[in-house]
Amino acid sequence: MSAMDRLGSEQLFHDHQARQRADTFFHNSDRLRFEDAAWLDHETWIRPAFAGLGDVAGLRVLDYGCGHGMATVVLARRGARVTAFDLSAGYLAEARARASANGVSVDFICADGEHLPFADGSFDRVWGNAVLHHLHLGRAARELRRVLRPGGLAVFCEPWGGNPLLNWARARLPYPGKGRTADESPLRPRDLRPLRQVFPRMALCGFQLLSMIRRVLRPGRLTSSLERFDARLLRAFPALQRFCRYVVLTLPR
Ligand SMILES: C[S@@+](CC[C@H](N)C(=O)[O-])C[C@H]1O[C@@H](n2cnc3c(N)ncnc32)[C@H](O)[C@@H]1O
């Protein structure tokens, strides 16, 4: 599939998803308002990954592939000067409506992560969740480095494909919220090579080893205990990060 076909099908898929969501959100703008904690705690990697950005007050921050725009709003509420982009006009419309419902001001732009319409060194921080695994990583990494100022930092949370059993389950088992585009694929250790070439100081941290059971069980006492157990296990045996569900990549420029 050519790069243009891939972008077109990503755009169609996400515009379609955004149209389905629009029925819920646009007829009830109360549902666009939210507390930071509701988003920071919706997955276990979000809060620690977000903390990795440090204090963003007054910084120029890019929300990369902003989708529904919840991170965009949280960044703006923390005093960042936020620019947010996405390939999908439908998701951008939802993100704009969410920013407005939550009373924050943000620059929204429709753009492709592999060809960013920003000058060199435009941002102090870049945030992205579940987006790099949709892109050509070599092109995305070069653009990312270009728009980050020297000394700047990017943090991305991405589905991780280092666990063969989990890959089998992702491919074969039905579970809620499983919609995927044809081209996205959880990042495997070897996919990180082009990122590491451009960001040699890249650091990686895995989340949800046993606690990935959360994906099918409602969070409760069992999942919380497994999360605590995971944290201890991953500290003692860092090599197990390879088998986690998600990975947080920290990319210092
Ligand atoms: C799984 S969603 C994640 C959205 C959001 N970051 C979040 O936390 O929910 C992936 C997003 O990446 C966007 N996307 C896919 N390919 C892209 C590209 N080449 N450039 C910019 N955005 C892209 C999609 O439109 C979609 O909004």
Side-chain angles (χ1 to χ4, degrees), residues 7 10 14 65-68 85-88 111-113 129-131 135:
L7 282 187
E10 284 282 337
H14 287 103
C66 63
H68 48 48
F85 79 91
D86 200 283
L87 193 61
S88 156
D112 164 22
N129 181 51
V131 60
L135 278 80

Side-chain angles (χ1 to χ4, degrees), residues 113-215:
E114 296 168 22
H115 302 93
L116 293 175
F118 309 115
D120 297 0
S122 293
F123 299 102
D124 304 296
R125 298 283 183 273
V126 176
W127 166 262
N129 181 51
V131 60
L132 281 184
H133 73 289
H134 290 264
L135 278 80
H136 180 287
L137 278 183
R139 284 196 287 273
R142 286 190 292 279
E143 277 295 82
L144 185 59
R145 185 176 192 280
R146 185 182 67 71
V147 302
L148 260 178
R149 71 151 164 85
L153 180 78
V155 177
F156 284 88
C157 315
E158 297 293 331
W160 189 225
N163 180 335
L165 197 61
L166 175 59
N167 291 343
W168 179 88
R170 279 169 169 149
R172 307 282 158 124
L173 301 183
Y175 50 85
K178 194 183 161 173
R180 301 257 188 279
T181 68
D183 302 294
E184 71 178 286
S185 175
L187 298 183
R188 288 151 309 171
R190 67 170 176 273
D191 297 329
L192 299 183
R193 274 183 220 137
L195 270 178
R196 198 170 272 119
Q197 272 165 7
V198 177
F199 293 97
R201 291 186 292 137
M202 176 172 82
L204 178 156
C205 185
F207 283 83
Q208 293 187 14
L209 184 61
L210 303 174
S211 60
M212 70 173 78
I213 193 78
R214 261 177 72 109
R215 191 68 184 83

Side-chain angles (χ1 to χ4, degrees), residues 14-25:
H14 287 103
D15 280 345
H16 175 69
Q17 216 173 46
R19 258 196 313 278
Q20 289 176 321
R21 294 165 60 92
D23 285 342
T24 316
F25 289 116

